[in-house]
């Protein structure tokens, strides 16, 4: 996905399936495949969940790219003796995966009872961020440093003249040559996209 120059972007995941389990797995897989590489945090979210002959699950995220966070969309399901039992089991599963510093942005829980077997299922979806703890720039990995420099370059249409190379080298605790090489690699990558 290419979002050059955008400070806010929308991202969507959708699944439709006759199998609740397959739909849940697909949404979780899409989230795990796309969100880690996307800079920013989830500012807001809409969760669309409906049942019928097929289960429809859609999640639309508004990503604010100004600050980075670990972004997660997690879906779980459980069956139970009744609605309350199924919901509590699903919430237990969701609560088990939300880390201590996780900040919930949106959630949805709905139930479905099969017409023939009268089995009740609950499906829950939660969207949350885990904001990174601030660390000094000299502790950044190469990948983190390049991501930060790339974000600034992207905002200025990949014009390296806006950067103060000496100041970046001082802040990151690396040589000026390292910063020049980072910029060179970022610009090469930007041309490929």
């Amino acid at each position: 996905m290419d979002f050059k120059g955008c400070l806010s972007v929308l991202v969507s995941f959708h699944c439709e399936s006759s199998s609740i389990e397959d739909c849940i797995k697909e949404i979780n897989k899409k989230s795990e495949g796309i969100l880690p590489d996307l800079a920013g945090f989830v500012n807001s979210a809409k969760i669309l969940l409906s049942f019928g002959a097929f289960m429809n699950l859609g999640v639309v995220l508004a990503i604010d790219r100004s600050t980075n966070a670990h972004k997660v969309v997690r879906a779980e399901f459980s069956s139970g003796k009744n609605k309350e039992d199924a919901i509590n089991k699903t919430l237990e599963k969701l609560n088990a995966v939300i880390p201590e510093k996780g900040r919930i942005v949106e959630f949805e829980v709905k139930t479905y009872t099969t017409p023939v077997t009268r089995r009740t299922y609950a499906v829950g979806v939660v969207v949350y961020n885990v904001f990174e703890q601030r660390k000094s720039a000299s502790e950044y990995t190469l990948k983190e440093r390049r991501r930060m420099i790339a974000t600034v370059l992207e905002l200025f249409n990949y014009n390296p003249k806006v950067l103060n190379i000496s100041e970046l080298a001082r802040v990151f605790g690396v040589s000026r040559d390292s910063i020049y090489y980072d910029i060179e690699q970022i610009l090469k990558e930007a041309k490929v996209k």
Side-chain angles (χ1 to χ4, degrees):
M1 288 185 222
D2 186 19
F3 302 115
K4 289 182 182 173
C6 297
L7 289 179
S8 296
V9 295
L10 296 173
V11 177
S12 175
F13 310 112
H14 184 264
C15 176
E16 179 179 74
S17 177
S18 60
S19 165
I20 291 175
E21 185 175 2
D22 290 347
C23 203
I24 297 296
K25 283 181 182 176
E26 186 176 333
I27 287 293
N28 289 337
K29 185 177 176 183
K30 286 178 179 179
S31 168
E32 292 163 5
I34 294 172
L35 293 180
D37 295 328
L38 191 58
F41 68 97
V42 179
N43 187 37
S44 63
K46 298 281 184 201
I47 300 169
L48 312 162
L49 179 58
S50 64
F51 301 99
F54 292 93
M55 178 179 141
N56 283 292
L57 176 54
V59 181
V60 181
L61 309 173
I63 306 289
D64 180 324
R65 296 177 35 138
S66 65
T67 302
N68 207 29
H70 178 66
K71 300 161 289 304
V72 177
V73 173
R74 183 68 184 194
E76 293 289 349
F77 79 99
S78 293
S79 61
K81 299 177 276 191
N82 54 44
K83 287 182 180 185
E84 184 178 10
D85 184 48
I87 289 170
N88 285 334
K89 287 178 180 178
T90 301
L91 293 179
E92 197 173 295
K93 285 182 175 182
L94 289 172
N95 284 327
V97 297
I98 300 171
E100 186 178 318
K101 296 191 181 205
R103 292 189 189 167
I104 296 173
V105 176
E106 183 65 69
F107 67 93
E108 181 77 55
V109 179
K110 288 194 175 178
T111 60
Y112 175 73
T113 303
T114 58
V116 177
T117 64
R118 303 300 299 159
R119 185 170 207 142
T120 300
Y121 292 92
V123 174
V125 182
V126 65
V127 178
Y128 65 90
N129 295 302
V130 180
F131 287 92
E132 299 169 352
Q133 286 188 315
R134 295 254 181 219
K135 56 184 176 182
S136 81
S138 62
E139 296 177 279
Y140 280 27
T141 65
L142 172 67
K143 187 176 181 179
E144 291 170 325
R145 182 178 75 228
R146 284 193 182 163
R147 186 180 331 136
M148 185 175 279
I149 294 170
T151 301
V152 173
L153 284 170
E154 186 178 329
L155 291 171
F156 289 95
N157 203 23
Y158 294 96
N159 180 359
K161 293 178 184 176
V162 301
L163 300 175
N164 181 330
I165 306 302
S166 297
E167 185 61 15
L168 285 173
R170 185 190 68 74
V171 168
F172 286 114
V174 296
S175 70
R176 289 170 43 94
D177 288 341
S178 293
I179 299 297
Y180 278 118
Y181 186 72
D182 289 345
I183 293 167
E184 183 180 317
Q185 295 306 308
I186 292 164
L187 294 175
K188 279 183 186 176
E189 201 173 291
K191 285 182 183 178
V192 172
K193 292 179 180 180

